[in-house]
Amino acid sequence: MGRIYNFSAGPSMLPEEVLRQAAEEMMDYGGSGMSVMEMSHRSKVFEDILERARNILRSVMGIPDSYDVLFLQGGATLQFAMVPANLLTGSGKADYVLTGNFSVNAYKEALLFGGKEINVAGSTKDENFTRIPRQDELTLTPGADYMHICANNTVFGTKWQYIPDSGSAPLVADMSSCLLSEPVDVSKYGIIYAGAQKNVAPAGLTIAIIRKDLLADPLPGTPSMMNYAKLAGKGSLYNTPPAWQIYIAMLVFELIENKGGLEAMRERNVHKAKILYDYLDSTDFYVAPVVREDRSLMNVVFRTRDAELDAKFVSESAGAGMTNLKGHRSVGGMRASIYNAMPTAGVKHLVEFMKEFERVNG
Ligand SMILES: *Cc1c(COP(=O)(O)O)cnc(C)c1O
């Protein structure tokens, strides 16, 4: 077959069932005589795909009727700008919790908006982002228009294990690397957004789940393509949407629904991550820098005690049916991204390799 275990942080593995079905439907989707890539986004057949994708996501995540689901472009990175453009319209103040590079990038993007007050409500930068701040370490700005967090820190391998209390400010969460990995209480958030290429679909699609009362006039000068209310009003068809990505997302949502939903995903993901963390905890050869309570289920960061050995690990793992185990350039070491589509067998394969590498080099 030639498929290997791809531990990439994103774009990352997609479920084999989905790839096969997409291949089968490549030349002729549902009797339309064409691929989804080729069809008009105004056609009935595509509107059905869009509608079905939205409905299954709603049901799988249990999204309340008081929320809209938007299919957007520009990646999670454009959300770093769209959130302030749409929400900084009250007091003009916002709180950001800094837990890694992506939350810092979101904060920096908000700073680009002139005349606003963008505050750091908490940060673990001094500890190299190896943990998530506790609620009692957060300083909220009274009357803030929102508070922003990154729910799972893809680069540093940490995850918020609790939903922070943001007071009267809506909580905005970047869930790019954890959406659909486990159940979420959507009602606790004002906005949830995620780039699709980690756990959902190919790159080019961003999902935003927005409480409807937040769909209001954005800051003056905001482009239409960044205006949540306008995009929601057009049902994500303001302009040509990323039709192929939405179709793959629909197949992924169907698969999750058929496999028992997000509770089943969580169980699988907890089991999968435990195989790796249990091994890391049993050896002194490898170091797992993240505090145990805040470990991510999706991105497992580790290293040896020697940068040269790390490089050797990465290069030898590539010869053993695995790829993309190199840590992010800002962290070094290794990172295994084990999203929904990574089979348990892939994690076991990695652990066997790690044991052998330790035996030879330890
Ligand atoms: C990958 C990632 C991003 C950046 O996503 P793009 O789609 O490349 O803009 C932002 N936040 C998190 C948490 C990510 O994992």
Side-chain angles (χ1 to χ4, degrees):
M1 257 293 290
R3 280 186 64 79
I4 61 175
Y5 295 122
N6 177 8
F7 291 91
S8 170
S12 34
M13 288 182 84
L14 285 164
E16 226 170 277
E17 298 96 318
V18 166
L19 295 178
R20 283 182 202 286
Q21 186 170 346
E24 235 167 69
E25 296 176 333
M26 180 65 80
M27 304 303 283
D28 176 9
Y29 175 80
S32 64
M34 62 183 89
S35 161
V36 177
M37 288 186 211
E38 303 168 295
M39 56 182 57
S40 162
H41 59 293
R42 308 279 175 202
S43 63
K44 170 86 172 74
V45 58
F46 179 71
E47 282 192 350
D48 287 350
I49 291 173
L50 184 63
E51 169 93 356
R52 192 164 160 68
R54 201 186 274 123
N55 288 341
I56 306 178
L57 181 64
R58 276 189 173 285
S59 110
V60 163
M61 286 188 70
I63 299 172
D65 289 341
S66 49
Y67 287 73
D68 246 317
V69 174
L70 273 64
F71 294 115
L72 308 169
Q73 301 189 56
T77 305
L78 188 57
Q79 295 310 302
F80 298 168
M82 282 176 73
V83 167
N86 285 273
L87 263 50
L88 273 180
T89 53
S91 63
K93 301 176 185 178
D95 283 335
Y96 280 74
V97 186
L98 309 186
T99 54
N101 65 321
F102 288 118
S103 53
V104 169
N105 287 348
Y107 166 70
K108 286 183 181 162
E109 199 69 8
L111 290 177
L112 297 177
F113 288 75
K116 306 296 177 189
E117 185 185 321
I118 310 301
N119 296 320
V120 175
S123 170
T124 48
K125 186 170 192 299
D126 290 348
E127 291 155 81
N128 237 335
F129 296 126
T130 49
R131 68 177 186 93
I132 298 292
R134 296 182 311 270
Q135 180 76 46
D136 64 16
E137 294 176 291
L138 303 181
T139 311
L140 307 190
T141 304
D145 288 331
Y146 64 93
M147 178 165 103
H148 182 279
I149 64 166
C150 179
N152 183 80
N153 295 281
T154 324
V155 170
F156 292 88
T158 60
K159 169 193 147 179
W160 287 76
Q161 312 286 354
Y162 70 99
I163 302 176
D165 180 356
S166 55
S168 57
L171 180 62
V172 177
D174 177 356
M175 294 199 184
S176 294
S177 51
C178 59
L179 194 81
L180 302 178
S181 65
E182 60 181 337
V184 178
D185 183 353
V186 175
S187 71
K188 295 281 199 294
Y189 298 86
I191 297 180
I192 291 169
Y193 65 85
Q197 70 274 21
K198 314 286 163 67
N199 215 12
V200 183
L205 169 66
T206 308
I207 294 168
I209 301 163
I210 306 180
R211 214 172 65 205
K212 284 179 181 163
D213 63 286
L214 299 175
L215 297 169
D217 283 343
L219 293 173
T222 299
S224 299
M225 277 297 287
M226 291 176 62
N227 180 328
Y228 286 136
K230 205 171 253 190
L231 297 164
K234 297 284 185 189
S236 299
L237 287 170
Y238 179 77
N239 74 329
T240 316
W244 171 258
Q245 283 80 350
I246 292 170
Y247 156 68
I248 300 290
M250 177 192 80
L251 297 181
V252 169
F253 301 156
E254 284 175 353
L255 187 71
I256 290 173
E257 189 173 53
N258 293 337
K259 286 196 164 176
L262 295 186
E263 203 53 69
M265 284 299 124
R266 164 159 57 193
E267 247 172 66
R268 248 185 102 245
N269 288 326
V270 166
H271 170 72
K272 239 163 52 183
K274 190 170 183 307
I275 296 171
L276 195 41
Y277 284 125
D278 277 354
Y279 175 60
L280 287 169
D281 290 341
S282 74
T283 164
D284 285 334
F285 181 74
Y286 298 100
V287 181
V290 169
V291 304
R292 286 187 193 206
E293 305 81 67
D294 293 336
R295 283 172 168 175
S296 167
L297 289 177
M298 299 280 99
N299 311 98
V300 180
V301 172
F302 61 96
R303 57 171 188 269
T304 68
R305 294 176 189 279
D306 171 355
E308 272 179 35
L309 267 187
D310 288 347
K312 189 172 177 215
F313 182 102
V314 170
S315 107
E316 288 186 5
S317 64
M322 295 176 285
T323 188
N324 287 316
L325 280 161
K326 192 172 192 298
H328 189 267
R329 58 192 179 280
S330 62
V331 178
M334 281 75 77
R335 170 178 53 177
S337 294
I338 50 173
Y339 300 115
N340 288 351
M342 171 61 69
T344 304
V347 176
K348 288 185 173 161
H349 185 79
L350 171 60
V351 169
E352 285 314 307
F353 175 83
M354 289 169 74
K355 285 182 183 166
E356 179 61 14
F357 190 81
E358 173 175 351
R359 196 185 64 73
V360 173
N361 299 283

